[in-house]
mmCIF file of all heavy atoms in Angstrom:
data_model
loop_
_atom_site.group_PDB
_atom_site.id
_atom_site.type_symbol
_atom_site.label_atom_id
_atom_site.label_comp_id
_atom_site.label_asym_id
_atom_site.label_seq_id
_atom_site.Cartn_x
_atom_site.Cartn_y
_atom_site.Cartn_z
ATOM 1 N N SER A 171 -9.323 4.554 -10.626
ATOM 2 C CA SER A 171 -9.934 5.073 -11.833
ATOM 3 C C SER A 171 -8.852 5.530 -12.833
ATOM 4 O O SER A 171 -9.203 5.752 -14.031
ATOM 5 C CB SER A 171 -10.875 6.298 -11.495
ATOM 6 O OG SER A 171 -10.149 7.334 -10.967
ATOM 7 N N LYS A 172 -7.637 5.596 -12.432
ATOM 8 C CA LYS A 172 -6.562 6.082 -13.312
ATOM 9 C C LYS A 172 -5.740 4.999 -13.975
ATOM 10 O O LYS A 172 -4.986 5.240 -14.881
ATOM 11 C CB LYS A 172 -5.612 7.051 -12.561
ATOM 12 C CG LYS A 172 -6.267 8.285 -11.949
ATOM 13 C CD LYS A 172 -5.255 9.079 -11.251
ATOM 14 C CE LYS A 172 -5.871 10.334 -10.570
ATOM 15 N NZ LYS A 172 -4.837 11.101 -9.777
ATOM 16 N N ILE A 173 -5.831 3.769 -13.395
ATOM 17 C CA ILE A 173 -4.809 2.811 -13.785
ATOM 18 C C ILE A 173 -5.122 2.014 -15.087
ATOM 19 O O ILE A 173 -4.260 1.437 -15.642
ATOM 20 C CB ILE A 173 -4.547 1.793 -12.675
ATOM 21 C CG1 ILE A 173 -5.885 0.988 -12.323
ATOM 22 C CG2 ILE A 173 -4.009 2.481 -11.409
ATOM 23 C CD1 ILE A 173 -5.681 -0.060 -11.185
ATOM 24 N N GLY A 174 -6.452 2.086 -15.538
ATOM 25 C CA GLY A 174 -6.794 1.358 -16.708
ATOM 26 C C GLY A 174 -6.989 -0.106 -16.504
ATOM 27 O O GLY A 174 -6.827 -0.634 -15.388
ATOM 28 N N ASP A 175 -7.406 -0.779 -17.503
ATOM 29 C CA ASP A 175 -7.706 -2.214 -17.473
ATOM 30 C C ASP A 175 -7.373 -2.892 -18.810
ATOM 31 O O ASP A 175 -8.136 -2.612 -19.757
ATOM 32 C CB ASP A 175 -9.210 -2.457 -17.094
ATOM 33 C CG ASP A 175 -9.590 -3.873 -16.975
ATOM 34 O OD1 ASP A 175 -8.671 -4.716 -16.699
ATOM 35 O OD2 ASP A 175 -10.744 -4.202 -17.063
ATOM 36 N N PRO A 176 -6.353 -3.664 -18.889
ATOM 37 C CA PRO A 176 -5.414 -3.983 -17.816
ATOM 38 C C PRO A 176 -4.504 -2.848 -17.418
ATOM 39 O O PRO A 176 -4.509 -1.808 -18.146
ATOM 40 C CB PRO A 176 -4.504 -5.036 -18.508
ATOM 41 C CG PRO A 176 -4.578 -4.740 -19.929
ATOM 42 C CD PRO A 176 -5.982 -4.219 -20.213
ATOM 43 N N PRO A 177 -3.971 -2.899 -16.237
ATOM 44 C CA PRO A 177 -3.240 -1.693 -15.665
ATOM 45 C C PRO A 177 -2.154 -1.223 -16.605
ATOM 46 O O PRO A 177 -1.337 -1.989 -17.096
ATOM 47 C CB PRO A 177 -2.678 -2.348 -14.376
ATOM 48 C CG PRO A 177 -3.561 -3.411 -13.989
ATOM 49 C CD PRO A 177 -4.031 -4.049 -15.323
ATOM 50 N N SER A 178 -2.161 0.085 -16.835
ATOM 51 C CA SER A 178 -1.128 0.608 -17.684
ATOM 52 C C SER A 178 -0.805 2.059 -17.304
ATOM 53 O O SER A 178 0.153 2.660 -17.779
ATOM 54 C CB SER A 178 -1.594 0.590 -19.167
ATOM 55 O OG SER A 178 -2.766 1.318 -19.297
ATOM 56 N N GLY A 179 -1.626 2.658 -16.466
ATOM 57 C CA GLY A 179 -1.394 4.051 -16.066
ATOM 58 C C GLY A 179 -0.184 4.114 -15.137
ATOM 59 O O GLY A 179 0.418 3.163 -14.704
ATOM 60 N N GLN A 180 0.148 5.384 -14.784
ATOM 61 C CA GLN A 180 1.263 5.568 -13.814
ATOM 62 C C GLN A 180 0.774 6.345 -12.572
ATOM 63 O O GLN A 180 0.699 7.515 -12.505
ATOM 64 C CB GLN A 180 2.320 6.398 -14.452
ATOM 65 C CG GLN A 180 3.600 6.575 -13.619
ATOM 66 C CD GLN A 180 4.732 7.186 -14.440
ATOM 67 O OE1 GLN A 180 5.084 6.739 -15.543
ATOM 68 N NE2 GLN A 180 5.371 8.185 -13.892
ATOM 69 N N PRO A 181 0.350 5.562 -11.572
ATOM 70 C CA PRO A 181 -0.182 6.165 -10.312
ATOM 71 C C PRO A 181 0.967 6.878 -9.502
ATOM 72 O O PRO A 181 2.113 6.638 -9.752
ATOM 73 C CB PRO A 181 -0.657 4.956 -9.507
ATOM 74 C CG PRO A 181 0.016 3.783 -10.073
ATOM 75 C CD PRO A 181 0.378 4.073 -11.533
ATOM 76 N N ASP A 182 0.472 7.796 -8.674
ATOM 77 C CA ASP A 182 1.477 8.639 -7.958
ATOM 78 C C ASP A 182 1.640 8.312 -6.495
ATOM 79 O O ASP A 182 2.698 8.248 -5.980
ATOM 80 C CB ASP A 182 1.024 10.096 -8.101
ATOM 81 C CG ASP A 182 1.014 10.583 -9.523
ATOM 82 O OD1 ASP A 182 1.958 10.226 -10.278
ATOM 83 O OD2 ASP A 182 -0.050 11.216 -9.902
ATOM 84 N N SER A 183 0.509 8.116 -5.756
ATOM 85 C CA SER A 183 0.581 8.030 -4.269
ATOM 86 C C SER A 183 1.129 6.615 -3.895
ATOM 87 O O SER A 183 0.920 5.670 -4.576
ATOM 88 C CB SER A 183 -0.751 8.274 -3.665
ATOM 89 O OG SER A 183 -1.741 7.378 -4.192
ATOM 90 N N THR A 184 1.787 6.571 -2.739
ATOM 91 C CA THR A 184 2.373 5.325 -2.243
ATOM 92 C C THR A 184 2.045 5.069 -0.778
ATOM 93 O O THR A 184 1.633 6.114 -0.108
ATOM 94 C CB THR A 184 3.856 5.325 -2.470
ATOM 95 O OG1 THR A 184 4.482 6.383 -1.687
ATOM 96 C CG2 THR A 184 4.287 5.392 -3.880
ATOM 97 N N TRP A 185 2.100 3.931 -0.312
ATOM 98 C CA TRP A 185 1.948 3.586 1.142
ATOM 99 C C TRP A 185 3.186 4.089 1.849
ATOM 100 O O TRP A 185 4.252 3.490 1.726
ATOM 101 C CB TRP A 185 1.792 2.071 1.113
ATOM 102 C CG TRP A 185 1.668 1.433 2.491
ATOM 103 C CD1 TRP A 185 1.761 2.013 3.722
ATOM 104 C CD2 TRP A 185 1.477 0.003 2.752
ATOM 105 N NE1 TRP A 185 1.514 1.064 4.719
ATOM 106 C CE2 TRP A 185 1.348 -0.146 4.143
ATOM 107 C CE3 TRP A 185 1.326 -1.072 1.877
ATOM 108 C CZ2 TRP A 185 1.256 -1.446 4.753
ATOM 109 C CZ3 TRP A 185 1.139 -2.305 2.461
ATOM 110 C CH2 TRP A 185 1.085 -2.443 3.896
ATOM 111 N N GLN A 186 2.941 5.110 2.610
ATOM 112 C CA GLN A 186 4.107 5.798 3.306
ATOM 113 C C GLN A 186 4.214 5.301 4.746
ATOM 114 O O GLN A 186 3.332 5.247 5.500
ATOM 115 C CB GLN A 186 3.887 7.300 3.257
ATOM 116 C CG GLN A 186 3.796 7.916 1.879
ATOM 117 C CD GLN A 186 5.160 8.159 1.285
ATOM 118 O OE1 GLN A 186 6.203 7.976 1.945
ATOM 119 N NE2 GLN A 186 5.179 8.456 0.007
ATOM 120 N N ILE A 187 5.457 5.071 5.133
ATOM 121 C CA ILE A 187 5.897 4.842 6.521
ATOM 122 C C ILE A 187 7.002 5.825 6.862
ATOM 123 O O ILE A 187 8.013 5.835 6.148
ATOM 124 C CB ILE A 187 6.356 3.377 6.761
ATOM 125 C CG1 ILE A 187 5.378 2.358 6.286
ATOM 126 C CG2 ILE A 187 6.736 3.192 8.229
ATOM 127 C CD1 ILE A 187 4.102 2.316 7.045
ATOM 128 N N ASN A 188 6.797 6.693 7.848
ATOM 129 C CA ASN A 188 7.802 7.687 8.189
ATOM 130 C C ASN A 188 9.133 6.978 8.485
ATOM 131 O O ASN A 188 9.138 5.942 9.117
ATOM 132 C CB ASN A 188 7.316 8.489 9.337
ATOM 133 C CG ASN A 188 8.182 9.748 9.611
ATOM 134 O OD1 ASN A 188 9.330 9.610 9.936
ATOM 135 N ND2 ASN A 188 7.558 10.919 9.402
ATOM 136 N N SER A 189 10.238 7.531 8.007
ATOM 137 C CA SER A 189 11.533 6.923 8.195
ATOM 138 C C SER A 189 11.929 6.636 9.606
ATOM 139 O O SER A 189 12.662 5.769 9.868
ATOM 140 C CB SER A 189 12.635 7.732 7.516
ATOM 141 O OG SER A 189 12.673 9.058 8.043
ATOM 142 N N GLN A 190 11.356 7.428 10.572
ATOM 143 C CA GLN A 190 11.692 7.166 11.983
ATOM 144 C C GLN A 190 11.154 5.812 12.498
ATOM 145 O O GLN A 190 11.569 5.356 13.561
ATOM 146 C CB GLN A 190 11.152 8.310 12.838
ATOM 147 C CG GLN A 190 9.633 8.380 12.922
ATOM 148 C CD GLN A 190 9.190 9.538 13.724
ATOM 149 O OE1 GLN A 190 9.615 9.650 14.869
ATOM 150 N NE2 GLN A 190 8.400 10.425 13.133
ATOM 151 N N TYR A 191 10.285 5.207 11.704
ATOM 152 C CA TYR A 191 9.691 3.905 12.148
ATOM 153 C C TYR A 191 10.166 2.737 11.241
ATOM 154 O O TYR A 191 9.587 1.646 11.334
ATOM 155 C CB TYR A 191 8.095 4.000 12.068
ATOM 156 C CG TYR A 191 7.530 5.057 12.887
ATOM 157 C CD1 TYR A 191 6.823 6.144 12.344
ATOM 158 C CD2 TYR A 191 7.741 5.104 14.316
ATOM 159 C CE1 TYR A 191 6.299 7.166 13.078
ATOM 160 C CE2 TYR A 191 7.188 6.103 15.059
ATOM 161 C CZ TYR A 191 6.461 7.152 14.475
ATOM 162 O OH TYR A 191 5.961 8.095 15.217
ATOM 163 N N TRP A 192 11.201 2.971 10.468
ATOM 164 C CA TRP A 192 11.594 1.913 9.503
ATOM 165 C C TRP A 192 12.267 0.676 10.312
ATOM 166 O O TRP A 192 12.134 -0.407 9.787
ATOM 167 C CB TRP A 192 12.719 2.498 8.543
ATOM 168 C CG TRP A 192 12.107 3.279 7.481
ATOM 169 C CD1 TRP A 192 10.798 3.600 7.301
ATOM 170 C CD2 TRP A 192 12.738 3.892 6.359
ATOM 171 N NE1 TRP A 192 10.544 4.360 6.207
ATOM 172 C CE2 TRP A 192 11.783 4.501 5.563
ATOM 173 C CE3 TRP A 192 14.108 3.947 5.994
ATOM 174 C CZ2 TRP A 192 12.133 5.251 4.384
ATOM 175 C CZ3 TRP A 192 14.452 4.586 4.884
ATOM 176 C CH2 TRP A 192 13.457 5.264 4.093
ATOM 177 N N LYS A 193 12.705 0.899 11.452
ATOM 178 C CA LYS A 193 13.258 -0.165 12.221
ATOM 179 C C LYS A 193 12.125 -1.099 12.765
ATOM 180 O O LYS A 193 12.388 -2.186 13.300
ATOM 181 C CB LYS A 193 14.099 0.248 13.448
ATOM 182 C CG LYS A 193 15.347 0.928 13.014
ATOM 183 C CD LYS A 193 16.250 1.328 14.224
ATOM 184 C CE LYS A 193 17.573 1.918 13.811
ATOM 185 N NZ LYS A 193 18.389 2.366 15.004
ATOM 186 N N SER A 194 10.858 -0.657 12.610
ATOM 187 C CA SER A 194 9.695 -1.488 13.069
ATOM 188 C C SER A 194 9.110 -2.393 11.998
ATOM 189 O O SER A 194 8.107 -3.031 12.256
ATOM 190 C CB SER A 194 8.600 -0.484 13.594
ATOM 191 O OG SER A 194 9.095 0.287 14.590
ATOM 192 N N PHE A 195 9.732 -2.354 10.813
ATOM 193 C CA PHE A 195 9.219 -3.301 9.688
ATOM 194 C C PHE A 195 9.375 -4.719 10.181
ATOM 195 O O PHE A 195 10.246 -5.051 11.016
ATOM 196 C CB PHE A 195 10.058 -3.015 8.462
ATOM 197 C CG PHE A 195 9.471 -1.983 7.551
ATOM 198 C CD1 PHE A 195 9.611 -0.594 7.834
ATOM 199 C CD2 PHE A 195 8.682 -2.406 6.463
ATOM 200 C CE1 PHE A 195 9.028 0.330 6.995
ATOM 201 C CE2 PHE A 195 8.146 -1.421 5.604
ATOM 202 C CZ PHE A 195 8.312 -0.063 5.922
ATOM 203 N N PRO A 196 8.407 -5.568 9.680
ATOM 204 C CA PRO A 196 7.553 -5.358 8.533
ATOM 205 C C PRO A 196 6.175 -4.662 8.936
ATOM 206 O O PRO A 196 5.802 -4.663 10.098
ATOM 207 C CB PRO A 196 7.251 -6.830 8.157
ATOM 208 C CG PRO A 196 7.358 -7.669 9.340
ATOM 209 C CD PRO A 196 8.464 -6.964 10.159
ATOM 210 N N TYR A 197 5.595 -4.115 7.908
ATOM 211 C CA TYR A 197 4.297 -3.446 8.039
ATOM 212 C C TYR A 197 3.293 -4.241 7.066
ATOM 213 O O TYR A 197 3.663 -4.620 5.991
ATOM 214 C CB TYR A 197 4.341 -2.058 7.697
ATOM 215 C CG TYR A 197 4.833 -1.130 8.830
ATOM 216 C CD1 TYR A 197 6.166 -1.010 9.039
ATOM 217 C CD2 TYR A 197 3.923 -0.480 9.623
ATOM 218 C CE1 TYR A 197 6.628 -0.224 10.129
ATOM 219 C CE2 TYR A 197 4.368 0.266 10.678
ATOM 220 C CZ TYR A 197 5.775 0.425 10.918
ATOM 221 O OH TYR A 197 6.217 1.172 11.959
ATOM 222 N N SER A 198 2.067 -4.324 7.488
ATOM 223 C CA SER A 198 1.072 -5.076 6.681
ATOM 224 C C SER A 198 -0.238 -4.490 6.829
ATOM 225 O O SER A 198 -0.586 -3.788 7.734
ATOM 226 C CB SER A 198 1.112 -6.571 7.155
ATOM 227 O OG SER A 198 0.740 -6.720 8.524
ATOM 228 N N ALA A 199 -1.072 -4.873 5.792
ATOM 229 C CA ALA A 199 -2.496 -4.496 5.786
ATOM 230 C C ALA A 199 -3.240 -5.645 5.009
ATOM 231 O O ALA A 199 -2.581 -6.353 4.286
ATOM 232 C CB ALA A 199 -2.734 -3.152 5.138
ATOM 233 N N TYR A 200 -4.534 -5.702 5.188
ATOM 234 C CA TYR A 200 -5.218 -6.731 4.437
ATOM 235 C C TYR A 200 -6.558 -6.068 3.864
ATOM 236 O O TYR A 200 -7.048 -5.021 4.260
ATOM 237 C CB TYR A 200 -5.606 -7.904 5.333
ATOM 238 C CG TYR A 200 -6.696 -7.667 6.434
ATOM 239 C CD1 TYR A 200 -8.021 -7.692 6.164
ATOM 240 C CD2 TYR A 200 -6.219 -7.340 7.723
ATOM 241 C CE1 TYR A 200 -8.948 -7.491 7.196
ATOM 242 C CE2 TYR A 200 -7.107 -7.105 8.757
ATOM 243 C CZ TYR A 200 -8.467 -7.215 8.469
ATOM 244 O OH TYR A 200 -9.399 -6.998 9.496
ATOM 245 N N LEU A 201 -6.946 -6.726 2.749
ATOM 246 C CA LEU A 201 -8.193 -6.313 2.016
ATOM 247 C C LEU A 201 -9.272 -7.249 2.448
ATOM 248 O O LEU A 201 -9.147 -8.515 2.494
ATOM 249 C CB LEU A 201 -7.915 -6.473 0.481
ATOM 250 C CG LEU A 201 -6.860 -5.615 -0.119
ATOM 251 C CD1 LEU A 201 -6.642 -6.063 -1.569
ATOM 252 C CD2 LEU A 201 -7.141 -4.113 0.000
ATOM 253 N N ASP A 202 -10.460 -6.696 2.699
ATOM 254 C CA ASP A 202 -11.725 -7.414 2.896
ATOM 255 C C ASP A 202 -12.539 -7.230 1.605
ATOM 256 O O ASP A 202 -13.016 -6.161 1.350
ATOM 257 C CB ASP A 202 -12.455 -6.901 4.157
ATOM 258 C CG ASP A 202 -13.756 -7.680 4.344
ATOM 259 O OD1 ASP A 202 -14.128 -8.544 3.533
ATOM 260 O OD2 ASP A 202 -14.395 -7.467 5.394
ATOM 261 N N LEU A 203 -12.671 -8.306 0.848
ATOM 262 C CA LEU A 203 -13.379 -8.237 -0.436
ATOM 263 C C LEU A 203 -14.895 -8.469 -0.367
ATOM 264 O O LEU A 203 -15.522 -8.561 -1.392
ATOM 265 C CB LEU A 203 -12.752 -9.265 -1.410
ATOM 266 C CG LEU A 203 -11.188 -9.091 -1.558
ATOM 267 C CD1 LEU A 203 -10.638 -10.251 -2.409
ATOM 268 C CD2 LEU A 203 -10.848 -7.789 -2.208
ATOM 269 N N GLY A 204 -15.347 -8.567 0.885
ATOM 270 C CA GLY A 204 -16.752 -8.714 1.080
ATOM 271 C C GLY A 204 -17.363 -10.066 1.002
ATOM 272 O O GLY A 204 -18.372 -10.415 1.678
ATOM 273 N N ARG A 205 -16.730 -10.898 0.208
ATOM 274 C CA ARG A 205 -17.184 -12.345 0.059
ATOM 275 C C ARG A 205 -15.979 -13.113 -0.522
ATOM 276 O O ARG A 205 -15.015 -12.510 -0.955
ATOM 277 C CB ARG A 205 -18.350 -12.503 -0.761
ATOM 278 C CG ARG A 205 -18.185 -11.917 -2.239
ATOM 279 C CD ARG A 205 -19.424 -12.149 -3.107
ATOM 280 N NE ARG A 205 -19.313 -11.409 -4.419
ATOM 281 C CZ ARG A 205 -18.615 -11.931 -5.423
ATOM 282 N NH1 ARG A 205 -17.971 -13.075 -5.336
ATOM 283 N NH2 ARG A 205 -18.584 -11.248 -6.576
ATOM 284 N N GLU A 206 -16.030 -14.450 -0.478
ATOM 285 C CA GLU A 206 -15.000 -15.230 -1.063
ATOM 286 C C GLU A 206 -14.946 -15.059 -2.531
ATOM 287 O O GLU A 206 -15.992 -15.116 -3.197
ATOM 288 C CB GLU A 206 -15.165 -16.713 -0.644
ATOM 289 C CG GLU A 206 -13.987 -17.531 -1.171
ATOM 290 C CD GLU A 206 -14.053 -19.011 -0.720
ATOM 291 O OE1 GLU A 206 -13.559 -19.222 0.373
ATOM 292 O OE2 GLU A 206 -14.629 -19.853 -1.446
#
């Protein structure tokens, strides 16, 4: 709701991985958009 359309806002939160697990990269996630 903060980023605008087209995107222009400055979001704050990030996808965090604790530094003690950095040797375990890569990390991944996927989006389920509900339909093609």
Side-chain angles (χ1 to χ4, degrees):
S171 62
K172 299 179 182 179
I173 61 177
D175 181 23
S178 60
Q180 185 169 312
D182 300 312
S183 60
T184 60
W185 177 355
Q186 299 280 351
I187 306 292
N188 193 293
S189 59
Q190 65 180 307
Y191 302 118
W192 282 4
K193 291 184 179 180
S194 302
F195 268 79
Y197 279 81
S198 59
Y200 66 87
L201 300 171
D202 181 353
L203 304 174
R205 58 179 173 81
E206 183 173 276

